Amino acid sequence: MDLRQLTPDLAVAAQIRPEDLPALAEAGFRVLINNRPDEEVGPDEDHEAMRAAAEAAGLEYHFNPFTPGQITPQMITAQAEALASPGPKLAYCRSGNRSTVLWALARAGQEPIEELLQTAARAGYDLAGVRPLLESLARQDG
């Protein structure tokens, strides 16, 4: 599993499997955020399978699917709410990029855009393409 730490209490990852969840719980994660739409995975990794495995491992579970190019205000709000859950969190999608985008969008206006972009870059994600949206959200919050 390739976990990339964004903040002290948030890591992102590419697709994980139900059998990975006990080890993640043992490693201290308390919250699982699934940003991968069911249309991209088979039934063994769809949100129902992941919810059941997360609950069996004692993890709080959030399903906030993100189809590329289809960001909505509701998705940003849902991600912010999931990120506000107590304890270490793991958000995942196909590569970790969409989870990182949603994290940055949820933090726009609360942290400097440059810091958000640099944090993402340190984890291996280039968010330059969403900079205009980050700036727009920061203006709305500011």
Side-chain angles (χ1 to χ4, degrees):
M1 238 178 313
D2 179 21
L3 303 181
R4 300 181 188 193
Q5 207 69 37
L6 290 180
T7 69
D9 71 342
L10 176 65
V12 295
Q15 179 68 50
I16 57 173
R17 300 194 42 83
E19 57 267 23
D20 297 328
L21 300 187
L24 290 169
E26 190 173 304
F29 287 98
R30 297 292 168 255
V31 180
L32 183 66
I33 305 168
N34 178 355
N35 296 128
R36 191 133 194 222
D38 281 347
E39 299 78 37
E40 295 181 4
V41 296
D44 292 345
E45 295 169 343
D46 72 8
H47 82 278
E48 292 298 337
M50 296 305 289
R51 177 184 306 281
E55 290 173 357
L59 298 170
E60 180 179 325
Y61 180 82
H62 297 268
F63 181 52
N64 186 23
F66 176 2
T67 300
Q70 296 182 14
I71 297 170
T72 67
Q74 293 80 12
M75 288 170 57
I76 297 168
T77 299
Q79 196 78 0
E81 289 170 356
L83 292 170
S85 297
K89 293 161 268 300
L90 175 66
Y92 75 93
C93 55
R94 187 186 63 77
S95 69
N97 188 69
R98 286 178 270 180
S99 295
T100 303
V101 167
L102 283 173
W103 161 79
L105 294 173
R107 299 298 306 156
Q110 299 172 46
E111 293 180 41
I113 292 170
E114 284 306 319
E115 285 182 26
L116 295 171
L117 295 174
Q118 289 171 6
T119 297
R122 281 192 298 274
Y125 301 106
D126 179 3
L127 301 190
V130 296
R131 183 184 195 113
L133 184 51
L134 287 167
E135 291 171 346
S136 174
L137 290 169
R139 281 192 301 275
Q140 290 175 18
D141 286 347

